[in-house]
Amino acid sequence: MTKIEVNGATLAYDEAGTGSPVVLVHAGIADRRMWRAQLPALAARHRVIAVDLRGYGDSELPPAPFAHHDDLVGLLDALGVAQAALVGCSFGGKVAVDTALAYPERVSALALFGAPVSGTEWSEETEQLWDELVGEADPEDFAATAAGEVRFWVVGPTRRPEDVDPGLIRFAEEMDRRALAAELELSAIEVSELDPPAIDRLAELRVPVLVGTGADDVADLRRLADRIAAEAPRGVRLPDIPDAAHLLPLERPEPVNAALLDFLP
């Protein structure tokens, strides 16, 4: 792990390899450790940087307004990177898309896994599913909330917990407990959003865009992946990867790594 000053905050990251730069941006229920299988695989051809977003993992959270997409570009500046491909999962995909829209000259390609985009509205079906699987957990009971969120996201709506590697569930719950603590602190700080949001600006994404989901992820995100790939001028939709839900790069690293190595410039 290395730490670096970015926009007044200290961000933690891991780095490996040389070549064209690639930045890995984690899910909101995780941290940079979710990319443990991608970092060595991509480092054979690329300079790979897996970052903890501000407040998450080992990165700090100064009590000052900020935007995650500004931080990503600040990280590129601090590392002397003129342009990078961004690979994002879930919330990290949202941040990656916002970055590409706010700073198009700094992004060479986007790879998105289970990613919403800013301005996404969840369907009533997904809201009901959340209530069923996560329920009304005490937001300060991180263990209970993490268990519910991992049931929703990592197991997914179409599988049972016993269908999923128990080691994956334990690791995801541990990461999510830390992420929930981060989100509680983030709720007290002004976090700027992209304006206007990305949902109606997908046609502005001029770089190559790879979009993938797990076959067991929530239906809203699979439909959104179809929309991103259709509206981004250079969008490519991967077939849904079977027996995988929301943390696709962590759960099924082999097909994800193969797709990334084939796609990244």
Side-chain angles (χ1 to χ4, degrees):
M1 178 184 69
T2 306
K3 292 191 174 185
I4 196 166
E5 190 81 7
V6 173
N7 295 340
T10 300
L11 301 188
Y13 67 97
D14 297 322
E15 182 174 355
T18 58
S20 57
V22 177
V23 179
L24 308 176
V25 194
H26 60 81
I29 62 169
D31 52 53
R32 73 185 193 283
R33 293 175 294 164
M34 69 161 287
W35 301 108
R36 60 190 183 184
Q38 283 69 50
L39 198 71
L42 300 181
R45 300 185 193 170
H46 300 276
R47 180 185 180 187
V48 189
I49 301 152
V51 64
D52 279 336
L53 294 171
R54 187 186 301 216
Y56 291 87
D58 295 305
S59 291
E60 295 180 351
L61 185 62
F66 76 100
H68 287 298
H69 52 274
D70 291 340
D71 276 359
L72 272 194
V73 170
L75 177 69
L76 298 183
D77 290 341
L79 295 176
V81 175
Q83 192 178 60
L86 304 182
V87 180
C89 179
S90 184
F91 178 70
K94 170 185 175 292
V95 174
V97 171
D98 285 352
T99 306
L101 290 171
Y103 301 95
E105 73 284 357
R106 305 302 298 275
V107 178
S108 60
L110 288 170
L112 311 171
F113 298 102
V117 296
S118 55
T120 297
E121 294 185 3
W122 301 105
S123 67
E124 184 177 343
E125 168 196 8
T126 297
E127 299 281 3
Q128 291 177 346
L129 187 63
W130 179 269
D131 289 341
E132 291 170 13
L133 296 182
V134 181
E136 303 260 341
D138 180 349
E140 295 189 17
D141 185 346
F142 296 151
T145 304
E149 290 192 350
V150 167
R151 173 65 184 88
F152 182 89
W153 291 118
V154 180
V155 176
T158 58
R159 298 189 293 184
R160 301 168 299 172
E162 54 267 32
D163 297 329
V164 180
D165 176 11
L168 172 66
I169 291 176
R170 286 193 300 271
F171 182 46
E173 287 183 355
E174 189 271 323
M175 286 195 294
D176 194 25
R177 287 193 295 272
R178 293 184 72 187
L180 287 164
E183 289 168 358
L184 185 61
E185 293 188 15
L186 281 161
S187 67
I189 295 171
E190 181 183 341
V191 183
S192 299
E193 299 289 342
L194 187 71
D195 185 24
I199 189 66
D200 294 319
R201 300 174 60 187
L202 299 174
E204 296 177 34
L205 296 172
R206 299 299 178 181
V207 297
V209 181
L210 181 70
V211 192
T213 59
D216 297 296
D217 207 346
V218 297
D220 277 6
L221 289 175
R222 289 184 279 113
R223 288 190 288 264
L224 181 56
D226 293 340
R227 177 176 172 180
I228 296 169
E231 294 187 18
R234 301 170 70 185
V236 175
R237 178 70 158 95
L238 280 176
D240 285 345
I241 294 178
D243 196 23
H246 197 54
L247 293 188
L248 178 57
L250 182 62
E251 187 171 13
R252 293 287 173 262
E254 293 85 0
V256 168
N257 292 350
L260 288 172
L261 286 168
D262 184 57
F263 170 76
L264 290 170

PDB file of all heavy atoms in Angstrom, residues 94-113:
ATOM      1  N   LYS A  94     -19.965   4.179 -11.377  1.00  0.00           N
ATOM      2  CA  LYS A  94     -20.611   5.494 -11.404  1.00  0.00           C
ATOM      3  C   LYS A  94     -19.561   6.601 -11.363  1.00  0.00           C
ATOM      4  O   LYS A  94     -19.618   7.562 -12.144  1.00  0.00           O
ATOM      5  CB  LYS A  94     -21.571   5.624 -10.228  1.00  0.00           C
ATOM      6  CG  LYS A  94     -22.131   7.026 -10.002  1.00  0.00           C
ATOM      7  CD  LYS A  94     -22.976   7.059  -8.737  1.00  0.00           C
ATOM      8  CE  LYS A  94     -23.455   8.461  -8.399  1.00  0.00           C
ATOM      9  NZ  LYS A  94     -22.369   9.363  -7.985  1.00  0.00           N
ATOM     10  N   VAL A  95     -18.588   6.469 -10.452  1.00  0.00           N
ATOM     11  CA  VAL A  95     -17.534   7.474 -10.352  1.00  0.00           C
ATOM     12  C   VAL A  95     -16.724   7.531 -11.642  1.00  0.00           C
ATOM     13  O   VAL A  95     -16.356   8.613 -12.127  1.00  0.00           O
ATOM     14  CB  VAL A  95     -16.626   7.180  -9.142  1.00  0.00           C
ATOM     15  CG1 VAL A  95     -15.435   8.132  -9.110  1.00  0.00           C
ATOM     16  CG2 VAL A  95     -17.421   7.277  -7.838  1.00  0.00           C
ATOM     17  N   ALA A  96     -16.445   6.371 -12.231  1.00  0.00           N
ATOM     18  CA  ALA A  96     -15.669   6.334 -13.474  1.00  0.00           C
ATOM     19  C   ALA A  96     -16.408   7.050 -14.603  1.00  0.00           C
ATOM     20  O   ALA A  96     -15.805   7.819 -15.364  1.00  0.00           O
ATOM     21  CB  ALA A  96     -15.374   4.885 -13.855  1.00  0.00           C
ATOM     22  N   VAL A  97     -17.706   6.815 -14.743  1.00  0.00           N
ATOM     23  CA  VAL A  97     -18.489   7.482 -15.793  1.00  0.00           C
ATOM     24  C   VAL A  97     -18.526   8.986 -15.551  1.00  0.00           C
ATOM     25  O   VAL A  97     -18.345   9.793 -16.486  1.00  0.00           O
ATOM     26  CB  VAL A  97     -19.912   6.896 -15.862  1.00  0.00           C
ATOM     27  CG1 VAL A  97     -20.800   7.732 -16.781  1.00  0.00           C
ATOM     28  CG2 VAL A  97     -19.866   5.453 -16.354  1.00  0.00           C
ATOM     29  N   ASP A  98     -18.750   9.388 -14.300  1.00  0.00           N
ATOM     30  CA  ASP A  98     -18.758  10.826 -13.992  1.00  0.00           C
ATOM     31  C   ASP A  98     -17.417  11.463 -14.351  1.00  0.00           C
ATOM     32  O   ASP A  98     -17.369  12.588 -14.867  1.00  0.00           O
ATOM     33  CB  ASP A  98     -19.055  11.048 -12.510  1.00  0.00           C
ATOM     34  CG  ASP A  98     -20.513  10.820 -12.152  1.00  0.00           C
ATOM     35  OD1 ASP A  98     -21.337  10.626 -13.066  1.00  0.00           O
ATOM     36  OD2 ASP A  98     -20.834  10.841 -10.938  1.00  0.00           O
ATOM     37  N   THR A  99     -16.334  10.759 -14.070  1.00  0.00           N
ATOM     38  CA  THR A  99     -15.001  11.281 -14.393  1.00  0.00           C
ATOM     39  C   THR A  99     -14.834  11.448 -15.893  1.00  0.00           C
ATOM     40  O   THR A  99     -14.301  12.463 -16.374  1.00  0.00           O
ATOM     41  CB  THR A  99     -13.916  10.352 -13.830  1.00  0.00           C
ATOM     42  OG1 THR A  99     -14.129  10.156 -12.423  1.00  0.00           O
ATOM     43  CG2 THR A  99     -12.527  10.934 -14.038  1.00  0.00           C
ATOM     44  N   ALA A 100     -15.290  10.451 -16.657  1.00  0.00           N
ATOM     45  CA  ALA A 100     -15.155  10.515 -18.113  1.00  0.00           C
ATOM     46  C   ALA A 100     -15.973  11.661 -18.701  1.00  0.00           C
ATOM     47  O   ALA A 100     -15.580  12.252 -19.724  1.00  0.00           O
ATOM     48  CB  ALA A 100     -15.584   9.191 -18.738  1.00  0.00           C
ATOM     49  N   LEU A 101     -17.104  11.995 -18.071  1.00  0.00           N
ATOM     50  CA  LEU A 101     -17.930  13.102 -18.567  1.00  0.00           C
ATOM     51  C   LEU A 101     -17.376  14.457 -18.123  1.00  0.00           C
ATOM     52  O   LEU A 101     -17.425  15.429 -18.873  1.00  0.00           O
ATOM     53  CB  LEU A 101     -19.365  12.934 -18.080  1.00  0.00           C
ATOM     54  CG  LEU A 101     -20.133  11.771 -18.724  1.00  0.00           C
ATOM     55  CD1 LEU A 101     -21.462  11.557 -18.017  1.00  0.00           C
ATOM     56  CD2 LEU A 101     -20.356  12.010 -20.208  1.00  0.00           C
ATOM     57  N   ALA A 102     -16.853  14.509 -16.897  1.00  0.00           N
ATOM     58  CA  ALA A 102     -16.324  15.778 -16.390  1.00  0.00           C
ATOM     59  C   ALA A 102     -14.946  16.099 -16.960  1.00  0.00           C
ATOM     60  O   ALA A 102     -14.607  17.274 -17.137  1.00  0.00           O
ATOM     61  CB  ALA A 102     -16.258  15.731 -14.866  1.00  0.00           C
ATOM     62  N   TYR A 103     -14.156  15.068 -17.250  1.00  0.00           N
ATOM     63  CA  TYR A 103     -12.780  15.248 -17.725  1.00  0.00           C
ATOM     64  C   TYR A 103     -12.516  14.300 -18.898  1.00  0.00           C
ATOM     65  O   TYR A 103     -11.710  13.377 -18.796  1.00  0.00           O
ATOM     66  CB  TYR A 103     -11.785  14.941 -16.599  1.00  0.00           C
ATOM     67  CG  TYR A 103     -11.936  15.796 -15.368  1.00  0.00           C
ATOM     68  CD1 TYR A 103     -12.700  15.352 -14.284  1.00  0.00           C
ATOM     69  CD2 TYR A 103     -11.299  17.023 -15.259  1.00  0.00           C
ATOM     70  CE1 TYR A 103     -12.826  16.125 -13.132  1.00  0.00           C
ATOM     71  CE2 TYR A 103     -11.413  17.803 -14.121  1.00  0.00           C
ATOM     72  CZ  TYR A 103     -12.181  17.352 -13.060  1.00  0.00           C
ATOM     73  OH  TYR A 103     -12.295  18.118 -11.926  1.00  0.00           O
ATOM     74  N   PRO A 104     -13.192  14.498 -20.020  1.00  0.00           N
ATOM     75  CA  PRO A 104     -13.096  13.522 -21.117  1.00  0.00           C
ATOM     76  C   PRO A 104     -11.684  13.339 -21.655  1.00  0.00           C
ATOM     77  O   PRO A 104     -11.340  12.242 -22.126  1.00  0.00           O
ATOM     78  CB  PRO A 104     -14.040  14.096 -22.181  1.00  0.00           C
ATOM     79  CG  PRO A 104     -14.220  15.529 -21.829  1.00  0.00           C
ATOM     80  CD  PRO A 104     -14.118  15.601 -20.342  1.00  0.00           C
ATOM     81  N   GLU A 105     -10.860  14.369 -21.569  1.00  0.00           N
ATOM     82  CA  GLU A 105      -9.502  14.264 -22.105  1.00  0.00           C
ATOM     83  C   GLU A 105      -8.591  13.403 -21.241  1.00  0.00           C
ATOM     84  O   GLU A 105      -7.507  13.018 -21.676  1.00  0.00           O
ATOM     85  CB  GLU A 105      -8.903  15.671 -22.257  1.00  0.00           C
ATOM     86  CG  GLU A 105      -8.511  16.359 -20.957  1.00  0.00           C
ATOM     87  CD  GLU A 105      -9.691  16.914 -20.152  1.00  0.00           C
ATOM     88  OE1 GLU A 105     -10.850  16.824 -20.623  1.00  0.00           O
ATOM     89  OE2 GLU A 105      -9.439  17.432 -19.040  1.00  0.00           O
ATOM     90  N   ARG A 106      -9.040  13.058 -20.026  1.00  0.00           N
ATOM     91  CA  ARG A 106      -8.183  12.298 -19.109  1.00  0.00           C
ATOM     92  C   ARG A 106      -8.483  10.798 -19.125  1.00  0.00           C
ATOM     93  O   ARG A 106      -7.782  10.035 -18.454  1.00  0.00           O
ATOM     94  CB  ARG A 106      -8.360  12.823 -17.671  1.00  0.00           C
ATOM     95  CG  ARG A 106      -8.115  14.306 -17.493  1.00  0.00           C
ATOM     96  CD  ARG A 106      -6.719  14.724 -17.936  1.00  0.00           C
ATOM     97  NE  ARG A 106      -5.656  14.087 -17.171  1.00  0.00           N
ATOM     98  CZ  ARG A 106      -5.186  14.545 -16.005  1.00  0.00           C
ATOM     99  NH1 ARG A 106      -5.701  15.639 -15.475  1.00  0.00           N
ATOM    100  NH2 ARG A 106      -4.202  13.928 -15.388  1.00  0.00           N
ATOM    101  N   VAL A 107      -9.517  10.385 -19.842  1.00  0.00           N
ATOM    102  CA  VAL A 107      -9.961   8.986 -19.804  1.00  0.00           C
ATOM    103  C   VAL A 107      -9.839   8.381 -21.194  1.00  0.00           C
ATOM    104  O   VAL A 107     -10.374   8.921 -22.172  1.00  0.00           O
ATOM    105  CB  VAL A 107     -11.417   8.890 -19.296  1.00  0.00           C
ATOM    106  CG1 VAL A 107     -11.891   7.437 -19.309  1.00  0.00           C
ATOM    107  CG2 VAL A 107     -11.525   9.483 -17.892  1.00  0.00           C
ATOM    108  N   SER A 108      -9.126   7.244 -21.278  1.00  0.00           N
ATOM    109  CA  SER A 108      -8.912   6.583 -22.569  1.00  0.00           C
ATOM    110  C   SER A 108      -9.929   5.492 -22.856  1.00  0.00           C
ATOM    111  O   SER A 108     -10.164   5.140 -24.018  1.00  0.00           O
ATOM    112  CB  SER A 108      -7.504   5.992 -22.617  1.00  0.00           C
ATOM    113  OG  SER A 108      -7.321   5.030 -21.589  1.00  0.00           O
ATOM    114  N   ALA A 109     -10.535   4.915 -21.816  1.00  0.00           N
ATOM    115  CA  ALA A 109     -11.517   3.839 -21.983  1.00  0.00           C
ATOM    116  C   ALA A 109     -12.220   3.636 -20.655  1.00  0.00           C
ATOM    117  O   ALA A 109     -11.711   4.020 -19.589  1.00  0.00           O
ATOM    118  CB  ALA A 109     -10.839   2.545 -22.435  1.00  0.00           C
ATOM    119  N   LEU A 110     -13.402   3.030 -20.721  1.00  0.00           N
ATOM    120  CA  LEU A 110     -14.175   2.691 -19.523  1.00  0.00           C
ATOM    121  C   LEU A 110     -14.558   1.222 -19.566  1.00  0.00           C
ATOM    122  O   LEU A 110     -15.041   0.733 -20.595  1.00  0.00           O
ATOM    123  CB  LEU A 110     -15.458   3.522 -19.459  1.00  0.00           C
ATOM    124  CG  LEU A 110     -15.385   5.011 -19.127  1.00  0.00           C
ATOM    125  CD1 LEU A 110     -16.747   5.655 -19.377  1.00  0.00           C
ATOM    126  CD2 LEU A 110     -14.953   5.221 -17.686  1.00  0.00           C
ATOM    127  N   ALA A 111     -14.375   0.537 -18.443  1.00  0.00           N
ATOM    128  CA  ALA A 111     -14.898  -0.817 -18.284  1.00  0.00           C
ATOM    129  C   ALA A 111     -15.748  -0.820 -17.021  1.00  0.00           C
ATOM    130  O   ALA A 111     -15.265  -0.458 -15.936  1.00  0.00           O
ATOM    131  CB  ALA A 111     -13.779  -1.838 -18.187  1.00  0.00           C
ATOM    132  N   LEU A 112     -17.010  -1.193 -17.158  1.00  0.00           N
ATOM    133  CA  LEU A 112     -17.990  -1.045 -16.086  1.00  0.00           C
ATOM    134  C   LEU A 112     -18.624  -2.390 -15.768  1.00  0.00           C
ATOM    135  O   LEU A 112     -19.112  -3.087 -16.664  1.00  0.00           O
ATOM    136  CB  LEU A 112     -19.079  -0.055 -16.515  1.00  0.00           C
ATOM    137  CG  LEU A 112     -18.601   1.282 -17.098  1.00  0.00           C
ATOM    138  CD1 LEU A 112     -19.776   2.059 -17.683  1.00  0.00           C
ATOM    139  CD2 LEU A 112     -17.885   2.104 -16.032  1.00  0.00           C
ATOM    140  N   PHE A 113     -18.643  -2.743 -14.483  1.00  0.00           N
ATOM    141  CA  PHE A 113     -19.231  -4.008 -14.050  1.00  0.00           C
ATOM    142  C   PHE A 113     -20.296  -3.741 -12.987  1.00  0.00           C
ATOM    143  O   PHE A 113     -20.009  -3.180 -11.934  1.00  0.00           O
ATOM    144  CB  PHE A 113     -18.148  -4.937 -13.492  1.00  0.00           C
ATOM    145  CG  PHE A 113     -17.109  -5.307 -14.510  1.00  0.00           C
ATOM    146  CD1 PHE A 113     -15.873  -4.686 -14.505  1.00  0.00           C
ATOM    147  CD2 PHE A 113     -17.389  -6.239 -15.498  1.00  0.00           C
ATOM    148  CE1 PHE A 113     -14.904  -5.006 -15.455  1.00  0.00           C
ATOM    149  CE2 PHE A 113     -16.430  -6.564 -16.456  1.00  0.00           C
ATOM    150  CZ  PHE A 113     -15.194  -5.946 -16.435  1.00  0.00           C
TER     151      PHE A 113
END
